[in-house]
């Protein structure tokens, strides 16, 4: 198996011949069934013909938007290197071809969901018409809904596959296309390559058979999902003042209904971000991890003295949280939320494998072992975590959590949010908070502190050069800690498929993982240190020591990689 390659960006192609570029653009415009993108492309062609700069046009035809393990994702617009109806029709035809080639029964069903981004409903309708044109059934969710509803519907309805039209927390100019197979998990190699090969063989969109728009499902499948999520909460305290934001996404009504069904009072919803808006007007980047994205929610919580702030990203498959502290509100890291949710499930007796990604904290393994449960590590992404055999709980540090794999084998920001509220309400009833629970976990297993260093580059060769320096001259120590073992992840192992990256295991349980981003021109370094909590000093002292060690690790890997 070849290493998993980054997708979503790539080295620029050589500048095309202007005449050839115009010919390709005119041919594309002639095939484009969408009046808006056709007019957009005609305008760009006219500008270049009049002697204008052809950089934008060249970028639109700089290869094709690659179909990979994340499906498709990119900026909206005309051309093969953008998200548009031509690209979506061909992707749907390639998926239909793959399903039929692998024995899909006649009129087997594909369920299709979509969020509230620009053109999501259009791309969903095109997908449905291509599926019915191929002789399959198309079942379309009734309105813009969270991605986990789609993942739930695949298994609940016994479908062959599922498609979710979403770009998750990408900027407003983007959209995407996520593909699941019948087990409810996202596609992984070699399925992605097999579908991509069939997409490459699809002709002009006018030649793709189109049928009806399929069957629009009723609200009953949504209600079954919401009831299933609400049932995860057990009886207990419900007194909790919660501030919530869906960040202009589709999670709002689902979260409010789930909390109500589970017995919680209505949350204080950030009014400016309450309703879906594809332009995301109050945030520069609709990702709760980004600086500033949570400011309105934190301000609302401060005004009312709330107990907890929770947020979803725009398609509600991720969950973020913030808690009050002596120095104001503090965002919990993905690893901290993962530890809290694992604590909730382990102490309630949830049996099975507890899994996380290689770049997430190693704490989960210790927690699982203490409760006699198996533990697994996978490559990054829920396409891998969701496939762990016997999965009981999975999470990754990028705010993704799977607390109910029996029903949703993907990250689910709605169910994670509910269990986090349940934990907070129980703690509040005891006069405590979520940070107290984290302190308990640290006292038992050691304080596991994590951080991340991301270096954005303008030339992708810089990333390759940094990885080459690390391989050519392996560091023997990082941040004053001895490097005890180096794993070159590109070689693969019995447990992990090959992927580009290096993992350093250091003294005292510390760890550094270096890998190129899969979606952005960044080199990412994931840092972890483990500090024993001395009863006489307490967790606060361990946190201070950990912060110093993380700073030293950050400086050490920067120097070793030459970044």
């Amino acid at each position: 198996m070849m290493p998993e390659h980054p997708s979503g960006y790539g080295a620029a192609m050589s500048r095309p011949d202007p005449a050839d570029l115009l010919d390709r653009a005119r041919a594309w415009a002639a095939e484009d069934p969408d009046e808006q993108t056709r007019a957009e492309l005609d305008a760009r062609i006219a500008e270049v013909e009049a002697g204008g700069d052809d950089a934008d046009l060249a970028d639109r035809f700089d290869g094709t938007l690659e179909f990979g393990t994340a499906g498709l994702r990119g900026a909206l617009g005309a051309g093969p290197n953008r998200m548009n109806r031509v690209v979506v029709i061909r992707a749907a035809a390639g998926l239909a071809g793959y399903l039929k080639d692998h024995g899909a029964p006649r009129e087997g069903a594909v369920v299709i969901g979509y969020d509230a981004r620009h053109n999501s409903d259009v791309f969903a309708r095109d997908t449905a018409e291509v599926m019915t044109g191929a002789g399959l059934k198309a079942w379309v969710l009734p309105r813009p809904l969270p991605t986990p509803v789609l993942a739930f519907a695949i298994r609940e309805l016994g479908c062959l596959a599922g498609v979710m039209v979403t770009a998750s927390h990408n900027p407003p100019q983007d959209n995407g296309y996520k593909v699941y197979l019948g087990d409810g998990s996202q596609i992984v190699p070699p399925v992605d390559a097999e579908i991509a090969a069939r997409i490459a063989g699809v002709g002009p969109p006018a030649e793709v058979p189109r049928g009806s728009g399929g069957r629009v499902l009723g609200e009953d499948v949504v209600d079954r999902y919401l009831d299933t999520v609400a049932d995860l909460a057990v009886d207990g305290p419900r007194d909790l003042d919660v501030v919530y934001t869906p960040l202009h996404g589709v999670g709002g009504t689902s979260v409010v209904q789930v909390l109500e069904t589970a017995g919680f009072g209505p949350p204080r919803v950030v009014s400016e971000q309450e309703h879906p808006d594809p332009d995301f007007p109050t945030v520069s980047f609709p990702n709760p991890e980004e600086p500033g994205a949570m400011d309105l929610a934190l301000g609302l919580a401060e005004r009312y003295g709330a107990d907890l702030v929770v947020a979803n990203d725009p398609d509600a498959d991720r969950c973020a949280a913030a808690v009050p502290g002596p120095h104001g509100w503090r965002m919990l890291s993905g690893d901290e939320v993962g530890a809290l949710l694992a604590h909730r499930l382990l102490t309630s007796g949830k049996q099975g494998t507890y899994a996380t990604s290689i770049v997430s904290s190693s704490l989960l393994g210790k927690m699982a072992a203490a409760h006699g449960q198996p533990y697994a590590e996978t490559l990054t992404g829920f396409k891998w975590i969701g496939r762990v055999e016997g999965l009981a709980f999975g999470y990754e540090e990028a705010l993704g959590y799977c607390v109910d794999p029996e029903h949703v084998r993907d990250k689910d920001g709605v169910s994670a949010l509910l269990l986090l509220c349940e934990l907070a309400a129980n703690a509040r009833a005891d006069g405590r908070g979520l940070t107290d629970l984290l302190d308990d976990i640290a006292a038992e297993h050691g304080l596991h502190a994590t951080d991340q260093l991301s270096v954005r580059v303008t030339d992708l060769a810089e990333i390759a050069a940094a990885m080459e320096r690390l391989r050519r001259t392996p560091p023997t120590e990082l941040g004053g800690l001895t490097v005890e073992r180096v794993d070159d992840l590109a070689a693969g192992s019995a447990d992990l498929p090959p992927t580009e990256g290096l993992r350093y295991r250091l003294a005292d349980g510390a760890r550094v993982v270096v890998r190129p981003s899969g979606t952005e021109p960044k080199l990412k370094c994931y840092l972890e240190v483990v500090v024993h909590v001395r009863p006489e000093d307490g967790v606060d002292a361990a946190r201070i020591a950990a912060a110093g060690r993380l700073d030293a690790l950050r400086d050490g890997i920067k120097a070793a990689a030459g970044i």
Side-chain angles (χ1 to χ4, degrees), residues 262-283:
F264 287 92
R268 302 182 193 272
V269 182
V270 177
S271 59
E272 300 94 328
Q273 299 171 336
E274 182 174 6
H275 302 294
D277 188 330
D279 294 318
F280 306 107
T282 68
V283 291

Side-chain angles (χ1 to χ4, degrees), residues 2-22:
M2 293 294 291
E4 185 183 63
H5 293 291
S7 59
Y9 66 87
M13 297 172 63
S14 58
R15 193 71 169 212
D17 174 72
D20 177 63
L21 175 61
L22 285 168

Side-chain angles (χ1 to χ4, degrees), residues 366-410:
K366 296 177 183 177
M367 294 177 69
H371 287 80
Q373 298 304 308
Y375 169 71
E377 286 187 359
T378 74
L379 297 185
T380 57
F382 263 83
K383 58 185 177 284
W384 300 109
I385 295 172
R387 293 179 175 275
V388 169
E389 187 173 350
L391 184 68
F393 169 69
Y395 94 91
E396 60 181 357
E397 50 78 39
L399 307 185
Y401 316 97
C402 175
V403 301
D404 185 22
E406 293 85 355
H407 296 100
V408 177
R409 295 192 72 83
D410 196 10

Side-chain angles (χ1 to χ4, degrees), residues 471-495:
R471 288 191 169 100
R472 186 175 60 248
T473 311
T476 57
E477 64 88 25
L478 290 170
L481 296 172
T482 302
V483 176
E484 297 181 341
R485 176 176 157 186
V486 181
D487 299 321
D488 191 336
L489 302 175
S493 69
D495 301 318

Side-chain angles (χ1 to χ4, degrees), residues 94-267:
L95 173 60
Y98 169 85
L99 294 173
K100 293 177 73 174
D101 290 346
H102 283 74
R106 181 168 178 78
E107 295 195 346
V110 175
V111 62
I112 302 156
Y114 58 99
D115 65 10
R117 284 178 177 266
H118 293 295
N119 275 6
S120 286
D121 56 342
V122 176
F123 296 157
R125 183 175 63 247
D126 281 333
T127 300
E129 291 177 358
V130 171
M131 293 301 162
T132 58
L136 301 171
K137 290 181 180 177
W139 293 342
V140 184
L141 292 181
R143 52 187 168 87
L145 285 162
T147 292
V149 178
L150 182 278
F152 171 85
I154 296 168
R155 294 165 68 87
E156 177 74 5
L157 303 176
C159 295
L160 298 171
V163 171
M164 183 68 193
V165 182
T166 180
S168 192
H169 54 270
N170 274 39
Q173 65 268 23
D174 288 2
N175 213 326
Y177 198 82
K178 187 180 289 189
V179 177
Y180 300 74
L181 293 184
D183 63 355
S185 297
Q186 298 176 43
I187 57 171
V188 296
V191 173
D192 58 336
E194 293 183 37
I195 295 173
R198 286 164 178 80
I199 293 171
V202 175
E207 296 177 7
V208 175
R210 305 283 287 268
S212 71
R215 172 188 164 201
V216 177
L217 297 171
E219 289 289 330
D220 56 319
V221 68
V222 184
D223 290 339
R224 293 206 296 277
Y225 163 78
L226 297 174
D227 289 344
T228 298
V229 172
D231 285 345
L232 295 173
V234 298
D235 291 339
R238 293 292 188 264
D239 185 12
L240 192 70
D241 191 337
V242 179
V243 165
Y244 169 67
T245 175
L247 283 182
H248 300 293
V250 296
T253 57
S254 296
V255 164
V256 171
Q257 183 172 333
V258 159
L259 288 174
E260 179 183 355
T261 304
F264 287 92

